[in-house]
């Protein structure tokens, strides 16, 4: 990792060590002007939007962008508009110093870390203009976290407007967010190529997430229930299940075997629009799951038909399936014990 050699004095943040080779920008104007200059020099710009607390999943996005672009900018901004629970916003980790070091070591040359007032001058009052992406944001996370995707779409639209023509890198771990961003870019004609990158997992299958640091030891063990559930659903499909609700029941049953996990939803959906799958044949599919483990809400998903996933799934014991405490819907969804908040 590159040693910090510069110190920036940041409003509200004190002095922050900035690694050699990384430029830290704090204003929207500075970001827009810098990226205009990069494109004028015939450089391809890569954009990696994050909320900080960078982990191996973020680093994989940055490394992919660095391999495909001439200059990579990583944004570090905890976006208050996408949090419905003030407590969750307050608890979200802020680790700017280590984020800057991680971004540089993965290949970024620019970091954009604005204050909230820079992005939303009226804050804590909501901005007068927000962005909402209909349909694809309505179910699943949209239903569990009202207003969340409006916050996501608004901040991403602002970042796309500031960045200009670029490639933007998003992880498949937040699959519904990826779908929202793709629709946003297409509908508003942003000159942005949205690049999807595979989910990065721990050796035991848990998807990397900034929220994982809030899990205690027992909760960390229990959190693998989401992965085991997805494995069980994919195994059911590979084993000949022909009804979406049978696949979803396998996911739900496996998650609910874990006492510390509280299932919020499991679903088999069409990958393009995230509508519940009416059949297991035809369109590309995605298995989705969300659950609370202790105080932490986790989400995960897989392509249940992916060859590489089945190769890995074959090495994981799923312990069979049992009856689920939830009510399985007629089109491949299950929800249990309420919708929950953030």
């Amino acid at each position: 990792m590159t040693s910090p050699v510069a110190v920036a004095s940041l409003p509200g943040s004190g002095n922050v060590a900035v690694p050699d080779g990384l430029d830290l920008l704090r204003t929207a104007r500075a970001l827009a002007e810098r990226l205009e200059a990069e494109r004028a020099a015939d450089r391809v710009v890569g954009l990696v939007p994050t909320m900080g607390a960078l982990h191996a999943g973020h680093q994989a996005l940055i490394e992919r962008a660095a391999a495909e672009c001439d200059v990579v900018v990583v944004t570090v901004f905890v976006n208050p508009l996408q949090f419905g629970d003030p407590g969750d916003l307050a608890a979200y980790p802020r680790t700017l110093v280590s984020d800057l070091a991680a971004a540089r070591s993965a290949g970024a040359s620019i970091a954009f870390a604005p204050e909230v007032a820079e992005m939303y001058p009226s804050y804590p009052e909501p901005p007068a203009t927000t962005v909402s992406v209909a349909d694809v944001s309505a179910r699943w996370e949209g239903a569990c976290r009202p207003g969340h995707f409006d916050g996501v779409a608004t901040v991403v639209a602002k970042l796309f407007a500031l960045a200009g023509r670029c490639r933007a890198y998003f992880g498949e771990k937040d699959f519904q967010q990826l779908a929202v961003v793709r629709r946003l870019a297409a509908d508003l004609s942003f000159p942005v190529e949205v690049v999807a990158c595979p989910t990065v997992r721990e050796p035991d299958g848990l998807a990397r997430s900034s929220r994982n640091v809030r899990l205690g030891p027992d909760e960390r063990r229990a959190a693998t229930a989401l992965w085991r559930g997805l494995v069980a659903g994919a195994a059911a499909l590979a084993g000949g299940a022909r009804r979406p609700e049978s696949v979803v029941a396998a996911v739900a049953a496996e998650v609910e075997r874990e006492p510390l996990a509280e299932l919020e939803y499991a679903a088999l959906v069409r990958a393009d629009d995230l509508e519940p799958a009416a059949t297991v044949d035809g369109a590309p599919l995605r298995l989705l799951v969300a659950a609370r483990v202790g105080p932490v809400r986790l989400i995960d998903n897989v392509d249940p038909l992916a060859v590489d996933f089945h190769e890995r799934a074959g090495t994981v014991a799923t312990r069979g399936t049992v009856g689920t405490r939830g009510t399985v819907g007629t089109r491949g969804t299950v929800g249990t014990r309420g919708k929950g908040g953030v």
Side-chain angles (χ1 to χ4, degrees):
M1 184 174 294
T2 305
S3 299
V5 297
V7 174
S9 180
L10 306 179
S13 302
N15 291 333
V16 174
V18 181
D20 185 27
L22 184 74
D23 291 336
L24 177 60
L25 307 179
R26 295 287 281 177
T27 68
R29 179 176 179 178
L31 177 67
E33 291 179 350
R34 173 64 181 272
L35 297 186
E36 285 177 3
E38 296 290 351
R39 280 188 298 274
D42 203 27
R43 298 188 182 99
V44 175
V45 173
L47 174 70
V48 183
T50 84
M51 292 206 301
L54 302 189
H55 51 69
H58 296 113
Q59 289 179 288
L61 299 179
I62 300 167
E63 290 168 357
R64 171 84 176 268
E68 298 177 352
C69 304
D70 300 309
V71 60
V72 176
V73 54
V74 174
T75 70
V76 179
F77 178 65
V78 181
N79 176 32
L81 296 193
Q82 65 192 72
F83 288 83
D85 180 356
D88 196 34
L89 173 61
Y92 197 88
R94 275 86 165 169
T95 56
L96 182 59
V97 172
S98 61
D99 290 341
L100 296 178
R104 179 59 190 140
S105 69
S109 54
I110 302 170
F112 177 53
E115 296 288 336
V116 174
E118 179 68 19
M119 296 297 284
Y120 306 119
S122 66
Y123 189 80
E125 292 299 317
T129 302
T130 58
V131 179
S132 180
V133 179
D135 300 331
V136 72
S137 67
R139 297 180 184 266
W140 323 126
E141 290 303 287
C144 290
R145 305 175 67 183
H148 169 71
F149 284 125
D150 290 352
V152 170
T154 299
V155 75
V156 170
K158 289 176 72 73
L159 292 173
F160 282 1
L162 293 172
R165 186 173 300 279
C166 66
R167 294 174 180 163
Y169 294 78
F170 291 85
E172 291 184 340
K173 184 257 178 185
D174 295 300
F175 194 79
Q176 189 172 10
Q177 173 180 276
L178 174 63
V180 168
V181 170
R182 282 171 163 162
R183 184 70 58 81
L184 166 76
D187 286 356
L188 298 186
S189 301
F190 282 112
V192 176
E193 177 188 351
V194 177
V195 181
C197 301
T199 300
V200 176
R201 300 184 178 276
E202 302 283 2
D204 60 5
L206 179 66
R208 293 286 186 120
S209 170
S210 299
R211 296 175 182 268
N212 292 352
V213 299
R214 296 169 55 194
L215 296 168
D218 290 341
E219 295 158 350
R220 170 61 183 81
R221 174 197 55 78
T224 61
L226 280 76
W227 167 251
R228 297 196 307 269
L230 294 172
V231 168
L237 189 58
R242 308 312 301 160
R243 301 170 62 223
E245 52 265 40
S246 298
V247 176
V248 171
V251 178
E254 185 63 29
V255 174
E256 291 192 324
R257 288 171 66 90
E258 172 51 62
L260 296 183
E262 183 178 345
L263 181 68
E264 286 198 358
Y265 65 78
L268 182 68
V269 303
R270 300 191 303 250
D272 58 345
D273 60 9
L274 275 74
E275 288 296 307
T279 176
V280 299
D281 300 312
L285 301 172
R286 207 80 185 183
L287 266 176
L288 311 177
V289 65
R292 282 191 177 274
V293 181
V296 182
R297 187 175 183 278
L298 301 173
I299 61 175
D300 203 350
N301 71 88
V302 294
D303 174 356
L305 300 177
V307 173
D308 59 345
F309 174 72
H310 283 305
E311 288 173 350
R312 183 170 185 178
T315 68
V316 180
T318 61
R319 298 178 294 172
T321 58
V322 296
T324 171
R325 294 191 294 273
T327 301
V328 179
T330 59
R331 297 190 64 200
T333 66
V334 61
T336 66
R337 290 174 282 184
K339 289 296 183 182
V342 173

